[in-house]
Amino acid sequence: MKDHVVVAGDLDAAHLQHPGAGQAAMDELYEQSGDFLAARAFEPKQFAHRIAFNCIPHIDVFLEDGSTKEEWKMVVETKKIMHAPDIEIAATCVRVPVLRCHSEALNVQFAAAVSLEAARSALSSAEGITVLDDPSSATYPMPALLEGTDNVYVGRLRMDPTVENGLQLWCVADQLRKGAALNAVQIAEELLQR
Amino acid sequence: MKDHVVVAGDLDAAHLQHPGAGQAAMDELYEQSGDFLAARAFEPKQFAHRIAFNCIPHIDVFLEDGSTKEEWKMVVETKKIMHAPDIEIAATCVRVPVLRCHSEALNVQFAAAVSLEAARSALSSAEGITVLDDPSSATYPMPALLEGTDNVYVGRLRMDPTVENGLQLWCVADQLRKGAALNAVQIAEELLQR
């Protein structure tokens, strides 16, 4: 059995990833939300549709197989970054009306046996990952609380009983820091230490 | 092989499903969004956390296995409604800042062979379902456009190449009409015709 990930909900902030378009897209979410609340007319510019109080299952361009380029990137970049060309990945990426952070609902099937305790322990001791997972105090990662942070935040850990060695989790990270600028610095630091 | 569904992204509108709390929750999303845009202070009341420009992976109460009751309902209600106790279901439910409609990113594994053409044809001819799936014109279901409609809207149809007989799709429906009142009327009409 191969490792296998379903990212059926990759929820991306309004901040576009095209260089230079980021601030304009955030401004559009701000302004359009204000226009919507005040019942003023508006015209979508940065997105194909209204983003205020909406979810748009369309990020970057569509490819021939019906996937978006963002979904395709989740497949090829995960294989590349993890040096694991055999991982199978299926993703759906959706633009949601938040200002920062990407969120993912992940269903992961491992080749080897997995337990909740082992997964929690591995995640807790991994550099760059913070586990926020205490249902009794309503503690779990959320984009609004994690803007401007440096780690990848993981919570909602559960077994996925529908497959062998299955795990479910929910993770959130600031796409501008861990997802871009900070990560570039961390890679450079890593290279300098070699 | 059993049929198997992963609903890794069930995106629910701010409208709460507890009787009577619906309008108050929508009002909170409206008012909190306005407060946030105007940089005014606010206190979450209907939700455990701020809902404006946020995603909250917590709907209804938490159960002992780490699931929420909303996620548990997706499992048991699907088995019950479809008269298919053997379907395996794993779900993550997330509250998103939209006013109406629930959205789902679905990864479905069928026991029998499936093709995109057969799936599209079956969905197109099914009563109560409308296929909105034309990437070239940016046509796909979205909560903001489908408020107040009666059907279940399906799009983003793709094969899921990571499992045998796998299909991915994205669907949106108005949770107050098809998800509640309209459906009750339709069930009553069905019973009267027997």
Side-chain angles (χ1 to χ4, degrees):
Chain A
M1 191 193 306
K2 294 175 185 172
D3 289 342
H4 167 213
V5 185
V6 172
V7 192
D10 172 50
L11 309 181
D12 289 3
H15 195 289
L16 290 177
Q17 287 150 346
H18 313 151
Q23 191 60 48
M26 284 176 78
D27 290 348
E28 179 150 323
L29 173 57
Y30 256 98
E31 286 165 22
Q32 207 178 78
S33 299
D35 287 341
F36 181 86
L37 292 171
R40 283 189 299 265
F42 54 81
E43 195 67 49
K45 291 190 193 92
Q46 301 293 326
F47 304 103
H49 301 276
R50 161 184 149 194
I51 182 63
F53 304 98
N54 196 18
C55 297
I56 310 177
H58 175 183
I59 302 183
D60 211 326
V61 296
F62 276 104
L63 308 178
E64 273 197 14
D65 69 352
S67 294
T68 60
K69 196 170 174 195
E70 179 82 354
E71 289 156 359
W72 173 84
K73 279 161 71 181
M74 293 200 67
V75 176
V76 296
E77 289 183 357
T78 303
K79 290 171 191 269
K80 182 180 159 194
I81 292 168
M82 297 187 72
H83 301 286
D86 286 343
I87 292 187
E88 307 264 20
I89 301 152
T92 298
C93 298
V94 181
R95 189 77 68 188
V96 292
V98 308
L99 291 155
R100 288 274 288 273
C101 293
H102 289 192
S103 307
E104 290 178 352
L106 295 167
N107 287 63
V108 188
Q109 183 176 27
F110 293 89
V114 65
S115 74
L116 218 47
E117 295 67 30
R120 200 179 298 277
S121 163
L123 288 165
S124 298
S125 59
E127 202 181 343
I129 292 178
T130 302
V131 176
L132 293 178
D133 193 17
D134 179 22
S136 69
S137 64
T139 300
Y140 30 72
M142 287 182 293
L145 298 196
L146 296 171
E147 179 177 330
T149 57
D150 285 346
N151 278 4
V152 175
Y153 298 83
V154 180
R156 298 297 328 276
L157 256 72
R158 290 158 286 158
M159 299 307 289
D160 177 348
T162 68
V163 295
E164 211 181 337
N165 308 328
L167 196 71
Q168 302 191 75
L169 43 96
W170 166 256
C171 66
V172 176
D174 187 310
Q175 89 282 20
L176 299 184
R177 292 173 78 107
K178 189 62 187 177
L182 172 72
N183 215 43
V185 172
Q186 287 174 334
I187 289 167
E189 285 174 347
E190 183 76 21
L191 288 172
L192 286 173
Q193 280 167 12
R194 287 188 182 177
Chain B
M1 192 192 306
K2 294 174 186 171
D3 289 342
H4 167 211
V5 185
V6 172
V7 192
D10 172 52
L11 309 180
D12 289 4
H15 195 289
L16 289 179
Q17 286 150 346
H18 312 151
Q23 191 60 48
M26 284 176 77
D27 290 348
E28 179 150 322
L29 173 57
Y30 256 99
E31 285 164 23
Q32 207 178 77
S33 299
D35 288 341
F36 180 86
L37 292 171
R40 283 190 297 265
F42 53 80
E43 196 66 50
K45 291 189 194 93
Q46 301 292 326
F47 303 104
H49 301 278
R50 161 184 150 195
I51 181 64
F53 304 98
N54 196 17
C55 297
I56 309 176
H58 174 182
I59 302 182
D60 211 325
V61 296
F62 276 103
L63 307 178
E64 274 197 10
D65 69 352
S67 295
T68 60
K69 196 169 174 194
E70 180 81 354
E71 289 156 357
W72 174 83
K73 279 161 71 179
M74 292 200 66
V75 176
V76 296
E77 289 183 357
T78 303
K79 290 171 191 268
K80 181 179 160 193
I81 292 169
M82 297 186 73
H83 302 284
D86 285 344
I87 292 186
E88 306 264 18
I89 301 152
T92 298
C93 299
V94 181
R95 189 78 68 186
V96 292
V98 309
L99 290 154
R100 288 274 287 273
C101 293
H102 289 191
S103 307
E104 290 178 353
L106 294 168
N107 287 62
V108 188
Q109 183 175 28
F110 294 88
V114 65
S115 75
L116 218 46
E117 296 67 31
R120 198 180 300 279
S121 164
L123 288 165
S124 298
S125 59
E127 203 181 342
I129 293 178
T130 301
V131 176
L132 293 178
D133 193 17
D134 179 22
S136 69
S137 63
T139 300
Y140 30 72
M142 287 181 294
L145 297 195
L146 296 171
E147 179 178 327
T149 58
D150 285 347
N151 277 4
V152 175
Y153 298 83
V154 180
R156 299 297 326 277
L157 255 73
R158 289 157 287 157
M159 299 307 290
D160 176 348
T162 68
V163 294
E164 211 181 339
N165 308 326
L167 196 72
Q168 301 191 77
L169 43 95
W170 165 257
C171 66
V172 176
D174 186 310
Q175 87 283 19
L176 298 184
R177 294 174 77 109
K178 188 63 185 176
L182 173 72
N183 215 44
V185 172
Q186 288 174 332
I187 290 168
E189 285 174 344
E190 183 77 21
L191 288 173
L192 287 174
Q193 280 167 13
R194 285 185 185 178

